[in-house]
Amino acid sequence: MAIGKPRLTAIFGALADPTRLAVVERLISGPASVSELAEPFKMAGPSFLKHPRVLEDAGIAHSRKKGRIRTVALRADALREVEQWTLRHRRLWERRL
């Protein structure tokens, strides 16, 4: 399954930021509230909020708001697309090396 370059660029662009990569690493263990995700980082809440938003825009995560709590979760399908891209390129690299 091929994915479009704009989507792939958005996914890798989102993952290139160390804060967003750390958020994704945390979300691997399950959904979390935005305040829980922000806890390890020394930044103001509004500054942190851009990170889950970028992950959502790239299709890596989705969020749901219940009352005052916004919970963020990974979209496994986006990470599967990255895995497929990586496997395709790995096979090519292995043949060449």
Side-chain angles (χ1 to χ4, degrees):
M1 167 193 213
I3 60 175
K5 286 184 182 182
R7 177 155 166 100
L8 186 63
T9 300
I11 291 170
F12 282 120
L15 294 174
D17 179 86
T19 301
R20 289 190 290 270
L21 185 58
V23 168
V24 169
E25 288 284 338
R26 164 52 191 88
L27 290 173
I28 288 171
S29 64
S33 69
V34 170
S35 59
E36 183 183 343
L37 293 172
E39 196 173 295
F41 304 100
K42 293 180 179 18
M43 63 177 74
S47 295
F48 180 79
L49 280 174
K50 72 177 180 181
H51 295 292
R53 214 169 293 137
V54 169
L55 294 173
E56 285 190 70
D57 290 346
I60 297 169
H62 63 93
S63 68
R64 189 180 349 228
K65 189 169 184 178
K66 186 173 182 182
R68 295 179 58 173
I69 309 290
R70 179 169 297 281
T71 301
V72 182
L74 288 180
R75 292 181 100 71
D77 58 326
L79 298 179
R80 257 187 239 113
E81 291 175 9
V82 170
E83 178 185 31
Q84 290 171 353
W85 181 87
T86 304
L87 287 174
R88 252 191 342 268
H89 284 80
R90 180 180 175 189
R91 288 184 205 115
L92 175 69
W93 299 328
E94 285 174 348
R95 281 196 309 263
R96 288 184 180 177
L97 298 175

